[in-house]
Amino acid sequence: MTLTDSVPAPASSPTRSADSLLPVLRAIPPECYERSNRRAWWLVARAVAIWIVVLGALAFTNAWYLVVPLWAVAGLSVAGLFILGHDGAHGALFESKRLNRSVGRALLAPSLHIYESWVFGHNRVHHGHTVRQGMDFVWHPTTAEEFRAMSPLVRLRHRVEWSAFGSGLYYMRSVWWEKMIRFTPPERHRDAVRKDTRFLAAVAAGGAALTVAGVLLTGGSVLGALWMIVKLFVVPFVLFSWVIGFAVYVHHIAPDIKWWPRRSWNSMHGQVEGTTVLRMPRVLNALFFYNIFLHVPHHVDMRIPCYELPRAADALIDAFPQVDHRRFRIKDFVAATRACKVYDFERLEWSHYPKADSTTA
């Protein structure tokens, strides 16, 4: 999808096009593109405050019955910062390009994401080729033939990562490690990625050093300092990975979501049919998710700020009843993880693991 700087004109009665997003873009009200620095700063300030308060609470307690729920909130708070940073990386959060870049870069740091690597992989590749075979790298399906050709160890890994409990492991390995940390950018993006890599390394090292110094200066031990790093940063990062891995999964994997061969794919398949509008619990959405589960309008046009996604989603649902919209239910997610194991790109359908595999699915 090629995005211009102009806002699409509204249409009174859009009709479906087989391969063009233009009718869909015209259904989005122009006010959905209005960015507000005031609203953006309020969301950022609140998200940062939640994160800092949770880290402070974790720093002053080791009682397991407090640490465990605080870890859960810490993982969600890092996810909230990440989602707002992701909006900045799309250039959608603030009115200013400079603010979007600088604040977005800072908000991605707690989740250890390199800003320019994320922009390249997420904005250009994932959004440009959503649910397209060999192109979209996030939760890309494996065919039955590919699964049979895997080694027993890789098969086991696939079974774990594509289970109801495996989203964090998948995200950390396949997205964060392989597409972020080990990412080798094209030549034209190399300097920008290296610059942001150095920035993230400096932030991580600085945060670790300040944590160690704080513990030692208050009479703690080296082991206590290491535990503090694990408690404040490592565990929340792992839990964040589960949250984001789960979020991306439910955005693009379901028995009725098709992935398309490269030559059969078009923008309607990817940006409208390849994702969903999920209504999440209000408190979780308001404090941590920032409407990102209203994913169809976000994919139709990345320029829509997160705080305008509800209005855009309502407009698209009214204009295009075929948009997949429903209230999120855990049982639907679990059902998808049981049904969506391998994919047939000729029949365009999901199935369980192939019967030739002697182990249970």
mmCIF file of all heavy atoms in Angstrom, residues 188-217:
data_model
loop_
_atom_site.group_PDB
_atom_site.id
_atom_site.type_symbol
_atom_site.label_atom_id
_atom_site.label_comp_id
_atom_site.label_asym_id
_atom_site.label_seq_id
_atom_site.Cartn_x
_atom_site.Cartn_y
_atom_site.Cartn_z
ATOM 1 N N ARG A 188 21.086 0.993 2.607
ATOM 2 C CA ARG A 188 20.567 2.349 2.738
ATOM 3 C C ARG A 188 20.040 2.639 4.142
ATOM 4 O O ARG A 188 19.909 3.794 4.533
ATOM 5 C CB ARG A 188 19.467 2.611 1.710
ATOM 6 C CG ARG A 188 18.278 1.698 1.835
ATOM 7 C CD ARG A 188 17.229 1.985 0.779
ATOM 8 N NE ARG A 188 16.651 3.308 0.934
ATOM 9 C CZ ARG A 188 15.586 3.740 0.277
ATOM 10 N NH1 ARG A 188 14.995 2.935 -0.600
ATOM 11 N NH2 ARG A 188 15.110 4.935 0.476
ATOM 12 N N HIS A 189 19.720 1.586 4.914
ATOM 13 C CA HIS A 189 19.197 1.775 6.270
ATOM 14 C C HIS A 189 20.237 1.452 7.343
ATOM 15 O O HIS A 189 19.944 1.574 8.530
ATOM 16 C CB HIS A 189 17.974 0.877 6.485
ATOM 17 C CG HIS A 189 16.856 1.129 5.528
ATOM 18 N ND1 HIS A 189 16.024 2.229 5.623
ATOM 19 C CD2 HIS A 189 16.440 0.436 4.439
ATOM 20 C CE1 HIS A 189 15.137 2.200 4.638
ATOM 21 N NE2 HIS A 189 15.362 1.127 3.911
ATOM 22 N N ARG A 190 21.434 1.063 6.923
ATOM 23 C CA ARG A 190 22.415 0.525 7.876
ATOM 24 C C ARG A 190 22.852 1.562 8.898
ATOM 25 O O ARG A 190 22.916 1.276 10.097
ATOM 26 C CB ARG A 190 23.613 -0.026 7.102
ATOM 27 C CG ARG A 190 24.518 -0.919 7.938
ATOM 28 C CD ARG A 190 25.338 -1.817 7.044
ATOM 29 N NE ARG A 190 24.483 -2.721 6.272
ATOM 30 C CZ ARG A 190 24.911 -3.479 5.270
ATOM 31 N NH1 ARG A 190 26.171 -3.425 4.907
ATOM 32 N NH2 ARG A 190 24.075 -4.270 4.640
ATOM 33 N N ASP A 191 23.158 2.763 8.472
ATOM 34 C CA ASP A 191 23.647 3.779 9.411
ATOM 35 C C ASP A 191 22.592 4.126 10.449
ATOM 36 O O ASP A 191 22.893 4.274 11.639
ATOM 37 C CB ASP A 191 24.080 5.038 8.657
ATOM 38 C CG ASP A 191 25.354 4.837 7.852
ATOM 39 O OD1 ASP A 191 26.070 3.848 8.121
ATOM 40 O OD2 ASP A 191 25.621 5.652 6.946
ATOM 41 N N ALA A 192 21.341 4.259 10.009
ATOM 42 C CA ALA A 192 20.267 4.604 10.947
ATOM 43 C C ALA A 192 20.050 3.485 11.957
ATOM 44 O O ALA A 192 19.850 3.741 13.156
ATOM 45 C CB ALA A 192 18.979 4.880 10.175
ATOM 46 N N VAL A 193 20.087 2.230 11.501
ATOM 47 C CA VAL A 193 19.907 1.104 12.414
ATOM 48 C C VAL A 193 21.060 1.029 13.407
ATOM 49 O O VAL A 193 20.856 0.807 14.609
ATOM 50 C CB VAL A 193 19.775 -0.209 11.621
ATOM 51 C CG1 VAL A 193 19.855 -1.419 12.565
ATOM 52 C CG2 VAL A 193 18.465 -0.231 10.847
ATOM 53 N N ARG A 194 22.284 1.228 12.937
ATOM 54 C CA ARG A 194 23.438 1.182 13.834
ATOM 55 C C ARG A 194 23.368 2.296 14.874
ATOM 56 O O ARG A 194 23.698 2.085 16.047
ATOM 57 C CB ARG A 194 24.728 1.294 13.024
ATOM 58 C CG ARG A 194 25.072 0.022 12.251
ATOM 59 C CD ARG A 194 26.276 0.226 11.364
ATOM 60 N NE ARG A 194 26.651 -1.010 10.679
ATOM 61 C CZ ARG A 194 27.554 -1.074 9.709
ATOM 62 N NH1 ARG A 194 28.182 0.038 9.309
ATOM 63 N NH2 ARG A 194 27.844 -2.235 9.154
ATOM 64 N N LYS A 195 22.939 3.472 14.467
ATOM 65 C CA LYS A 195 22.809 4.582 15.402
ATOM 66 C C LYS A 195 21.799 4.261 16.500
ATOM 67 O O LYS A 195 22.048 4.496 17.688
ATOM 68 C CB LYS A 195 22.378 5.844 14.647
ATOM 69 C CG LYS A 195 22.202 7.069 15.537
ATOM 70 C CD LYS A 195 21.774 8.269 14.709
ATOM 71 C CE LYS A 195 21.533 9.485 15.604
ATOM 72 N NZ LYS A 195 21.095 10.660 14.801
ATOM 73 N N ASP A 196 20.660 3.695 16.111
ATOM 74 C CA ASP A 196 19.644 3.351 17.099
ATOM 75 C C ASP A 196 20.063 2.152 17.947
ATOM 76 O O ASP A 196 19.659 2.038 19.114
ATOM 77 C CB ASP A 196 18.304 3.078 16.420
ATOM 78 C CG ASP A 196 17.571 4.361 16.071
ATOM 79 O OD1 ASP A 196 17.946 5.408 16.617
ATOM 80 O OD2 ASP A 196 16.640 4.310 15.267
ATOM 81 N N THR A 197 20.854 1.249 17.379
ATOM 82 C CA THR A 197 21.384 0.136 18.158
ATOM 83 C C THR A 197 22.293 0.654 19.263
ATOM 84 O O THR A 197 22.223 0.188 20.412
ATOM 85 C CB THR A 197 22.146 -0.842 17.258
ATOM 86 O OG1 THR A 197 21.274 -1.333 16.231
ATOM 87 C CG2 THR A 197 22.682 -2.017 18.061
ATOM 88 N N ARG A 198 23.146 1.611 18.927
ATOM 89 C CA ARG A 198 24.019 2.206 19.948
ATOM 90 C C ARG A 198 23.203 2.932 21.012
ATOM 91 O O ARG A 198 23.515 2.868 22.206
ATOM 92 C CB ARG A 198 25.021 3.165 19.292
ATOM 93 C CG ARG A 198 26.073 2.468 18.437
ATOM 94 C CD ARG A 198 27.192 3.418 18.058
ATOM 95 N NE ARG A 198 26.733 4.493 17.184
ATOM 96 C CZ ARG A 198 26.762 4.435 15.861
ATOM 97 N NH1 ARG A 198 27.231 3.343 15.246
ATOM 98 N NH2 ARG A 198 26.343 5.450 15.132
ATOM 99 N N PHE A 199 22.148 3.617 20.595
ATOM 100 C CA PHE A 199 21.287 4.309 21.556
ATOM 101 C C PHE A 199 20.654 3.307 22.514
ATOM 102 O O PHE A 199 20.672 3.507 23.742
ATOM 103 C CB PHE A 199 20.193 5.078 20.809
ATOM 104 C CG PHE A 199 19.068 5.557 21.694
ATOM 105 C CD1 PHE A 199 19.234 6.688 22.487
ATOM 106 C CD2 PHE A 199 17.861 4.866 21.749
ATOM 107 C CE1 PHE A 199 18.202 7.129 23.311
ATOM 108 C CE2 PHE A 199 16.828 5.302 22.568
ATOM 109 C CZ PHE A 199 17.004 6.435 23.352
ATOM 110 N N LEU A 200 20.106 2.218 21.979
ATOM 111 C CA LEU A 200 19.448 1.233 22.834
ATOM 112 C C LEU A 200 20.457 0.564 23.763
ATOM 113 O O LEU A 200 20.167 0.338 24.948
ATOM 114 C CB LEU A 200 18.745 0.178 21.980
ATOM 115 C CG LEU A 200 17.963 -0.880 22.759
ATOM 116 C CD1 LEU A 200 16.847 -0.243 23.582
ATOM 117 C CD2 LEU A 200 17.388 -1.926 21.811
ATOM 118 N N ALA A 201 21.650 0.263 23.247
ATOM 119 C CA ALA A 201 22.680 -0.348 24.089
ATOM 120 C C ALA A 201 23.071 0.584 25.227
ATOM 121 O O ALA A 201 23.261 0.151 26.374
ATOM 122 C CB ALA A 201 23.901 -0.705 23.247
ATOM 123 N N ALA A 202 23.182 1.882 24.933
ATOM 124 C CA ALA A 202 23.536 2.851 25.970
ATOM 125 C C ALA A 202 22.436 2.952 27.023
ATOM 126 O O ALA A 202 22.715 3.031 28.227
ATOM 127 C CB ALA A 202 23.796 4.218 25.340
ATOM 128 N N VAL A 203 21.181 2.950 26.584
ATOM 129 C CA VAL A 203 20.067 3.017 27.531
ATOM 130 C C VAL A 203 20.045 1.774 28.420
ATOM 131 O O VAL A 203 19.877 1.868 29.646
ATOM 132 C CB VAL A 203 18.732 3.167 26.774
ATOM 133 C CG1 VAL A 203 17.551 2.971 27.727
ATOM 134 C CG2 VAL A 203 18.650 4.530 26.116
ATOM 135 N N ALA A 204 20.207 0.596 27.816
ATOM 136 C CA ALA A 204 20.180 -0.650 28.586
ATOM 137 C C ALA A 204 21.338 -0.705 29.580
ATOM 138 O O ALA A 204 21.156 -1.067 30.753
ATOM 139 C CB ALA A 204 20.223 -1.848 27.644
ATOM 140 N N ALA A 205 22.542 -0.341 29.108
ATOM 141 C CA ALA A 205 23.703 -0.357 30.003
ATOM 142 C C ALA A 205 23.548 0.670 31.116
ATOM 143 O O ALA A 205 23.879 0.402 32.282
ATOM 144 C CB ALA A 205 24.974 -0.092 29.200
ATOM 145 N N GLY A 206 23.041 1.855 30.768
ATOM 146 C CA GLY A 206 22.834 2.889 31.778
ATOM 147 C C GLY A 206 21.820 2.487 32.822
ATOM 148 O O GLY A 206 22.008 2.702 34.028
ATOM 149 N N GLY A 207 20.715 1.879 32.372
ATOM 150 C CA GLY A 207 19.698 1.422 33.315
ATOM 151 C C GLY A 207 20.227 0.352 34.245
ATOM 152 O O GLY A 207 19.957 0.366 35.457
ATOM 153 N N ALA A 208 21.005 -0.600 33.690
ATOM 154 C CA ALA A 208 21.590 -1.655 34.522
ATOM 155 C C ALA A 208 22.594 -1.074 35.517
ATOM 156 O O ALA A 208 22.610 -1.463 36.694
ATOM 157 C CB ALA A 208 22.258 -2.701 33.639
ATOM 158 N N ALA A 209 23.414 -0.133 35.050
ATOM 159 C CA ALA A 209 24.417 0.471 35.935
ATOM 160 C C ALA A 209 23.766 1.248 37.073
ATOM 161 O O ALA A 209 24.208 1.155 38.238
ATOM 162 C CB ALA A 209 25.333 1.383 35.127
ATOM 163 N N LEU A 210 22.737 2.014 36.770
ATOM 164 C CA LEU A 210 22.046 2.769 37.816
ATOM 165 C C LEU A 210 21.373 1.838 38.823
ATOM 166 O O LEU A 210 21.364 2.118 40.035
ATOM 167 C CB LEU A 210 21.006 3.696 37.185
ATOM 168 C CG LEU A 210 21.546 4.922 36.444
ATOM 169 C CD1 LEU A 210 20.413 5.654 35.731
ATOM 170 C CD2 LEU A 210 22.256 5.858 37.420
ATOM 171 N N THR A 211 20.827 0.732 38.338
ATOM 172 C CA THR A 211 20.191 -0.232 39.238
ATOM 173 C C THR A 211 21.214 -0.860 40.172
ATOM 174 O O THR A 211 20.996 -0.950 41.394
ATOM 175 C CB THR A 211 19.474 -1.329 38.431
ATOM 176 O OG1 THR A 211 18.513 -0.715 37.566
ATOM 177 C CG2 THR A 211 18.781 -2.309 39.342
ATOM 178 N N VAL A 212 22.349 -1.302 39.623
ATOM 179 C CA VAL A 212 23.401 -1.896 40.444
ATOM 180 C C VAL A 212 23.928 -0.890 41.457
ATOM 181 O O VAL A 212 24.081 -1.196 42.651
ATOM 182 C CB VAL A 212 24.547 -2.411 39.551
ATOM 183 C CG1 VAL A 212 25.749 -2.823 40.394
ATOM 184 C CG2 VAL A 212 24.064 -3.582 38.702
ATOM 185 N N ALA A 213 24.174 0.337 40.999
ATOM 186 C CA ALA A 213 24.690 1.368 41.903
ATOM 187 C C ALA A 213 23.694 1.659 43.020
ATOM 188 O O ALA A 213 24.075 1.814 44.192
ATOM 189 C CB ALA A 213 24.994 2.637 41.117
ATOM 190 N N GLY A 214 22.412 1.724 42.679
ATOM 191 C CA GLY A 214 21.395 1.996 43.689
ATOM 192 C C GLY A 214 21.349 0.926 44.765
ATOM 193 O O GLY A 214 21.218 1.227 45.957
ATOM 194 N N VAL A 215 21.458 -0.338 44.355
ATOM 195 C CA VAL A 215 21.422 -1.431 45.325
ATOM 196 C C VAL A 215 22.675 -1.418 46.198
ATOM 197 O O VAL A 215 22.604 -1.545 47.435
ATOM 198 C CB VAL A 215 21.281 -2.790 44.605
ATOM 199 C CG1 VAL A 215 21.450 -3.945 45.591
ATOM 200 C CG2 VAL A 215 19.932 -2.883 43.910
ATOM 201 N N LEU A 216 23.846 -1.269 45.575
ATOM 202 C CA LEU A 216 25.094 -1.294 46.337
ATOM 203 C C LEU A 216 25.211 -0.110 47.283
ATOM 204 O O LEU A 216 25.683 -0.240 48.424
ATOM 205 C CB LEU A 216 26.296 -1.320 45.383
ATOM 206 C CG LEU A 216 26.404 -2.569 44.488
ATOM 207 C CD1 LEU A 216 27.631 -2.468 43.593
ATOM 208 C CD2 LEU A 216 26.460 -3.845 45.330
ATOM 209 N N LEU A 217 24.763 1.065 46.857
ATOM 210 C CA LEU A 217 24.864 2.254 47.708
ATOM 211 C C LEU A 217 23.900 2.216 48.885
ATOM 212 O O LEU A 217 24.058 2.968 49.847
ATOM 213 C CB LEU A 217 24.621 3.510 46.866
ATOM 214 C CG LEU A 217 25.723 3.866 45.856
ATOM 215 C CD1 LEU A 217 25.301 5.039 44.985
ATOM 216 C CD2 LEU A 217 27.041 4.182 46.581
#
